[in-house]
Every structure is written in structure tokens, then in C-alpha cells.
Amino acid sequence: MKIVVAGGNAEAEYIISMLKGKGTELVVINGSKEVANKIVKRQKVPVYVGSPWRRYALEESNAYDADAFIALSSSDTDNYASCYLAKTVFNAKKCVCVVSNPTNVALYQSLGIDSVISSSYLLGQSIKNESSVEDLFKTLSLENGKIVMIEAVVLSKFKMANKMLKDIHFPSYASIACIERFPDIIIPKGDTYIQPKDKLMVICRSQDQKRVMAFIRQED
Amino acid sequence: MKNTLVVIGCGRLGSSIANYASQSGDDVIVIDSDEASFDRLDELFSGIAKAADATDVDALEDAGLPSAREAVITTGDDNVNLFLAHLCAKKYQIPYIYVRFDDPDKGLLIQGLNVKAIYPFQLSRDRFSLLRDGTIPGEDK
């Protein structure tokens, strides 16, 4: 696995510390000499000093054919240009572009960047989800909020408790991916019984989240 | 709006293109984040000057960029220019798009798009060759 980490400061160092070793070929490019020195010293990885949106910088740092190219600089357009160059000229399989302006998420995706991440966008999504969720439910947004994974604990007063999956007519717009029944993980089939205290991992579209939760929460 | 020319980046090149187009009778809109840059527009400029960040898409839309016939992109940042060229070509499908790049390698990233690029570096080099050959005299403007 070859990963290019382009730009950034503390966030770059954190990602490098997570990815280094483990059979990963890391290419680190940073425009700041000070940040580069800090990363070399603390993470013991080589750092190419240069601008990742320049063709010669990606050439000289051998950033060809990366499995992932991660652009972390503080300028959204610099990250856009770096990702576009990596994708079209250096054959990067997947580009991750970090942006500070959340409205750039959808825009950059529409212009051809695979994955655009904004911390305020993610924060907004999770606040939106959490405000609609009560204590028994946790949710995780996937695919930029298009899909949600709901974690729901079954209570004995729920209508679905102690019934077979095929008998509860679980809605067609959602799917129970797995059930955690401590210490086991069960991949449910039609004849699986749903028991109190089971933790259901349910996948659905984000717009269906509320009605899925309402369905699970039905009481006898 | 149909015959509007939008100039993004009112530096020396952008302002000079805006002045020229305005005097030739085009409807011109100039966008720059720095209002002081509009001092470069001369008294005969009869278009609209809007102060807006070139990377703020909502502001560009308010300024009328999506319905422009021509877009001239001349901010001082190549990466902003690249983004704007892609935006104008892919999202707004503006019929005529011109972009200035200091780095000639940026040309690789607009291949296949309806975008024409201007490279000051190449123009200077070509002019140097002509001057050196004596093909053109040195003192003309």
C-alpha cells in the first residue's frame, strides 16, 4: 500500500504516525521546512520539501501510482490542485482532499475529487444526527452522510423482542447488518431470534433514519 | 447577461483586459477580493466591479458568473485559477474560458476541457527568441 501525505502540520504528523510501518510505503511532501524537520525528527520518516501541486515535486518524491493521496494543507484550492494533479497525471487510485470550507465538499466532488472531508461538515452532520437520536441509539454517517449506520439496543418492551427476524417484517428500506449479543457477533438470517439486550447494527439511507428508529422503537 | 465577459482577478493583466473589453463595447464584470485593485480600471471603464473572494462560489454566482459568455481568469494564484477554470468549464459550461497560469505544467490539468490557457513564461521566452534573432526590433511596445 502506497500512501502520499501532502501538506499539513499536526494533522499530517498524526496521520503519518498512524500509517507508518505496517507494510505501508509512505511518501511525505511538505512545503514548510520547519514542519518537515519536525516530522523527520519525531516520526523518523523521510520528507520531501516542496509544493505538492507542482508536477516536479510529485515526480521527484516518486509519488506515482499511490493507493491513496491525502492533501492536508490549509488552503482548499491548494489541496484541490494537488489532488487533481495526483489523480490525472500521477495515477493516484484514491484522493482525499481536506477542506476548511464545508460548502466545498459537494463542489469538489462534483468536479471529480473522490473524497472531500471537512471537519466542520462532519461536526455538523454528527450534531444533526445526534439531535434526532435518543439514548438507545448511536449513529455513524458514511459516504458523506448519504448512508447511516444505526446502533440500537433492543429492550424487552419492544415489539420485536423475542421474535424471529422473518416475523417482525423489518422494513425493506433498511437492513440489519449484524447483531452483537455479547460476546458473540451474529449475522442475522430469517430464523434468528431478536432478543432483549441485543445490539442491532442497522444500515439505511440517512433520510430513512427516523422511520427506521421509529420502527425499532415500537412497543407491544 | 448573454454577452457578458467576466474577469476574475483585477491585477495588471485582468484590469487591462477589462479596460480594453469595456472600451470595445463588451459588458464587463470584474471580480477581485481587494477593492483597491479596482483603481487599475480606468475612467472609461463602464462595467461592474464586484469585491468578492474568487473561491467563494456563492459570491461568484451572485456576481453573474454562471451566465457569462466569456470568463477570463487571472488571479495571482495558479491553484485558484485551475479551480476556477474547472468550475467554469464543468459546472457552468461557459462557452469561452481563458486562464492565466504561471506554471506551464498546469496545462496537463485542463486537457480535454474547453479552456484556453495563457502562459506568461512561454510568451516571454518566445519573445526573447524573436528579439535575439532580430525577427522583431527591440524598442516597440
Side-chain angles (χ1 to χ4, degrees):
Chain A
M1 181 98 147
K2 179 168 180 175
I3 298 175
V4 182
V5 179
N9 191 340
E11 40 313 35
E13 201 181 336
Y14 177 73
I15 291 195
I16 291 161
S17 72
M18 285 198 330
L19 296 175
K20 70 176 176 182
K22 298 171 196 140
T24 307
E25 184 191 342
L26 262 184
V27 176
V28 182
I29 306 171
N30 205 293
S32 151
K33 237 180 170 162
E34 286 122 67
V35 175
N37 284 338
K38 190 180 73 179
I39 293 173
V40 171
K41 215 187 233 166
R42 295 215 286 235
Q43 301 301 326
K44 314 264 183 282
V45 294
V47 178
Y48 176 90
V49 179
S51 306
W53 55 86
R54 297 273 196 197
R55 183 167 77 151
Y56 58 75
L58 297 193
E59 254 168 28
E60 287 173 12
S61 59
N62 191 24
Y64 294 94
D65 304 314
D67 294 286
F69 183 97
I70 307 170
L72 293 167
S73 92
S74 53
S75 154
D76 292 5
T77 40
D78 287 353
N79 288 339
Y80 175 83
S82 304
C83 283
Y84 206 87
L85 178 67
K87 183 106 196 153
T88 51
V89 182
F90 289 84
N91 197 27
K93 287 197 191 72
K94 187 167 170 91
C95 287
V96 181
C97 181
V98 173
V99 295
S100 42
N101 179 353
T103 56
N104 283 336
V105 171
L107 181 64
Y108 285 9
Q109 278 176 341
S110 74
L111 295 176
I113 307 291
D114 309 308
S115 181
V116 187
I117 295 173
S118 146
S119 49
S120 20
Y121 181 88
L122 292 176
L123 179 65
Q125 290 292 324
S126 77
I127 291 171
K128 214 167 90 190
N129 289 332
E130 294 199 5
S131 59
S132 65
V133 179
E134 282 118 66
D135 44 357
L136 290 174
F137 295 86
K138 279 192 210 160
T139 63
L140 171 70
S141 291
L142 303 168
E143 287 294 309
N144 287 308
K146 276 186 270 181
I147 302 169
V148 287
M149 165 104 111
I150 306 170
E151 193 184 291
V153 179
V154 178
L155 301 183
S156 52
K157 63 180 178 182
F158 285 1
K159 212 170 170 178
M160 62 167 59
N162 300 309
K163 289 206 181 107
M164 266 198 234
L165 181 57
K166 64 181 176 195
D167 297 327
I168 61 177
H169 305 292
F170 202 74
S172 58
Y173 46 80
S175 169
I176 303 178
C178 68
I179 299 173
E180 188 188 358
R181 183 177 300 157
F182 191 78
D184 300 319
I185 300 289
I186 299 160
I187 305 297
K189 304 277 177 313
D191 58 0
T192 304
Y193 274 94
I194 308 290
Q195 296 180 7
K197 292 187 189 164
D198 277 359
K199 195 186 272 179
L200 312 180
M201 309 290 172
V202 182
I203 297 263
C204 67
R205 288 192 193 88
S206 53
Q207 65 262 37
D208 293 325
Q209 181 182 344
K210 278 194 180 154
R211 51 180 183 154
V212 171
M213 279 166 23
F215 180 87
I216 296 171
R217 215 187 281 129
Q218 290 176 94
E219 294 178 15
D220 264 331
Chain B
M1 284 301 257
K2 272 282 151 266
N3 285 310
T4 310
L5 177 127
V6 176
V7 178
I8 311 175
C10 191
R12 275 192 299 270
L13 179 62
S15 60
S16 146
I17 290 170
N19 283 330
Y20 178 77
S22 176
Q23 280 163 39
S24 318
D26 289 315
D27 287 332
V28 181
I29 297 171
V30 186
I31 300 167
D32 197 294
S33 57
D34 179 12
E35 268 184 76
S37 70
F38 299 138
D39 292 347
R40 293 195 178 94
L41 299 170
D42 58 32
E43 287 118 55
L44 295 171
F45 176 78
S46 58
I48 301 166
K50 286 208 173 183
D53 183 345
T55 60
D56 179 348
V57 176
D58 292 336
L60 295 175
E61 295 193 356
D62 281 346
L65 179 63
S67 53
R69 198 173 96 93
E70 293 175 273
V72 180
I73 303 163
T74 58
T75 83
D77 183 324
D78 268 7
N79 292 341
V80 171
N81 290 352
L82 176 72
F83 161 71
L84 290 171
H86 286 171
L87 183 75
C88 290
K90 295 181 180 176
K91 190 162 185 212
Y92 303 137
Q93 281 126 28
I94 293 174
Y96 300 93
I97 303 162
Y98 307 91
V99 61
R100 190 261 306 272
F101 287 133
D102 288 329
D103 177 3
D105 287 338
K106 285 279 188 281
L108 292 164
L109 307 181
I110 52 165
Q111 275 174 4
L113 293 174
N114 178 32
V115 175
K116 294 189 171 74
I118 300 157
Y119 306 104
F121 159 79
Q122 279 180 357
L123 296 173
S124 307
R125 193 194 51 197
D126 294 349
R127 187 159 176 91
F128 167 73
S129 304
L130 293 173
L131 287 168
R132 197 182 190 200
D133 298 349
T135 316
I136 52 167
E139 60 276 12
D140 73 333
K141 264 182 75 184

